[in-house]
Amino acid sequence: MSDGSGATRLQNLWDDSRAAELDEPGRLLYRSNLLGSDKRITNYGGGNTSAKVRTKDPLTGETVTVLWVKGSGGDVGTMKLDGFATLYQEKLEQLKGLYRGLEHEDEMVGYLPHCTFNLNPRAASIDTSLHAYLPYAHVDHMHPDAVIAIAATKNSREITARVYGDEIGWLPWRRPGFELGLDLSRFAAENPNAKGVVLESHGLFTWGDTAKDCYETTFRIINKAIAWFEGETAGKPVFGGEAVRAAPPEARLAVAARLMPAIRGLIGSDENKVGHFDDSEAVLAFVGSKDLKPLAALGTSCPDHFLRTKIRPLVLDYDPATGDLDALIEGLRQAVAAYREDYAGYYQRCRYDNSPAMRDPNAVVYLVPGVGMITFAKDKATARIAGEFYVNAINVMRGASTVDTYQGLSEQEAFDIEYWLLEEAKLQRMPKPKSLAGRVALVTGGAGGIGQAIARRLAGEGACVVLADIDRQALAATHEEFAKAYGKDQVRSVLIDVTDEAAVREGFAQACTELGGLDILVSNAGIASSAPIEETELAMWDRNMGILATGYFLVAREAFRLFRRQALGGSVVFIASKNGLAASPGAAAYCTAKAAEIHLARCLALEGAPAGIRVNVVNPDAVLRGSKIWSGEWREQRAASSKIDVDELEEHYRNRSLLKRSVYPEDVAEAVYFLASDFAAKSTGNVFNVDAGNAVSFPR
């Protein structure tokens, strides 16, 4: 059983025993998290929930009614109790007397802090009045695909009545705000038996006397829409039928791997962007359809969808069966330029004298027939969420266009939301991005001690990190650790043997489809060996050269190819060794390979400079803690060469240094961060020693 998007019916997840353990605010949170756990009910950050709770006033000791409502910027699916704003209901009622009419409604937001209960620092959202003035204890405002598919039809009022009768009412489109709160209040007074209301082109309001009643009404009303679509759309063609057949999965990924860096290069010169690729069934049905262009041109209906996905997507002309990918990429510059020009025209047509300056004119959503959907934003999470919102929009268009005529927001209404002064104020309050926000870094040997420290430092500065390693088990464990520490969006992992040309190429392609491109390569994969020259086997020599010279060449070559396609510059950092500058007895293979690595970096610095590609080297020495190469025979061999016990090795290296200090992975990571960041924007071809001082390895 499905709605117009092919979705199955919602399941009632309410657990009475779990709810019985909670107080009223706790049950509100429980209900909110249940509703937000399914993107068919509401999208990330969309919708809100509330409860009017009788509680003791800390000032007077009297029992008062407090509105608990999702605060500004929260997400009902993941929020905690501190995500709710709390306001005196009596004071919210008093705001009606201050209201000066529709043209002044935005000023009402400024009064909300004066209604705060118990000094709660959580800012109240613009939707507060929508909950406050409904005379019900519990209220849900959701953005269900199936209900918005009704709300976004040309005849949405008639269809709402056909599906729900008198149980659910209908209100015409109005931008969220104080006036809409009054509209809802009037509707409730005039329709005391209604259980909710559909807002045209927007979403659904439902209510109940208890948290459970409200939850069950919400999911029942959504399921009713799903069931109605199931009957109405059975056997009907979707989006006008298929025009372009989807390419096989491998071919889709190959196109995305080529196309995403090209797009990123064209849109990322003013702001770093991270990409997301989606070739799910719903997306492929839409991008391969006959109605793709006319429907995409209409834009989205729900304001939450629109804020994430922009006025409309950029639709590319392509057919995997007959199209030329090189020609598509060649023509991309013209397509992006045309979109920018169209966006600038939209801004000029709709702007007011006090409108904020025009924002980034580039598309967020890129639709590729037969391939899928690409989204770009300032970070991976935002790009992914934008894609999820557009999938919601696709589901809405699918249902609405199958049963009636789909309609998006008018151009002026869309502009009024995108450039809403209250929305601009919210954007201005956002914290300053971290220094590597929007950048993508790939770290080879990323599951080792030094590699982890480097990746951790870069991720801590906002970079998306691709961990690359040959050790599958260690890579999986490191990925899990990073996902917990920095969030799943910020980390990816690829299994790469740096000596395998095909594996390197495939690993970089995977990074492109996951994140859109690359800005930073840290070549850190390493081994170590020790043997007198007469005992050095050819296999040992080849292994050192393979990983430390050929491997560094292969990953750098692939990074250079990618950097040049993006035309955004780039940064390469090689992790070398003191032994690359200063010879050591009994380690000819290792020292020679490290010397080759350093000289390769110098050559690449010369080649990369005209394209803005910087190449630098970090030279550590004796980083024992957490290092894989110091966990085996190398440690014993270096101790033997110095005629000391293994346990004395760290102290030996510390005392050998000029500064008499040990060197740790975090010290290497700090040097890498500096060289990869804009702090070193004018530095290339450098050898940066991190060895606590060692005269024999002074560069000269």
Side-chain angles (χ1 to χ4, degrees), residues 108 290 306 637 670:
M108 301 307 293
K290 294 177 181 177
F306 171 77
Q637 292 163 350
E670 196 64 38

Side-chain angles (χ1 to χ4, degrees), residues 49 63 94 159 169 194 214 234 321 380 387-388 534 551 587 589 599 613 633 640 653 675:
T49 52
T63 299
Q94 292 170 352
I159 294 176
C214 192
K380 176 64 178 183
E388 291 176 357
E534 63 271 24
H599 207 59
I613 304 170
E633 294 181 357
Y653 281 123
L675 291 171

Side-chain angles (χ1 to χ4, degrees), residues 94-171:
Q94 292 170 352
L95 294 186
K96 294 177 183 178
L98 298 175
Y99 184 46
R100 299 193 296 149
L102 185 59
E103 64 274 19
H104 302 288
E105 74 166 342
D106 286 0
E107 73 183 19
M108 301 307 293
V109 175
Y111 290 116
L112 293 178
H114 297 282
C115 304
T116 300
F117 173 80
N118 203 24
L119 304 177
N120 186 349
R122 177 63 62 180
S125 80
I126 188 68
D127 285 342
T128 298
S129 62
L130 280 59
H131 292 256
Y133 302 143
L134 280 167
Y136 304 103
H138 298 268
V139 177
D140 290 337
H141 170 37
M142 297 289 111
H143 298 148
D145 292 350
V147 177
I148 300 177
I150 294 171
T153 58
K154 184 178 180 180
N155 298 295
S156 65
R157 183 171 193 167
E158 292 80 358
I159 294 176
T160 299
R162 195 185 315 164
V163 176
Y164 295 115
D166 295 333
E167 184 178 25
I168 299 294
W170 180 92
L171 286 175

Side-chain angles (χ1 to χ4, degrees), residues 14 23-29 31-32 48-54 67-68 130-131 134-141 195 205-215 217-218:
W14 189 271
D23 60 9
E24 204 64 73
R27 281 188 286 273
L28 170 62
L29 177 64
R31 178 177 105 226
S32 304
N48 37 58
T49 52
S50 69
K52 298 178 179 73
V53 180
R54 297 286 289 169
L67 175 71
W68 286 67
L130 280 59
H131 292 256
L134 280 167
Y136 304 103
H138 298 268
V139 177
D140 290 337
H141 170 37
K195 296 294 185 181
F205 267 86
T206 45
W207 43 74
D209 295 328
T210 68
K212 181 181 180 180
D213 289 343
C214 192
Y215 170 81
T217 296
T218 299

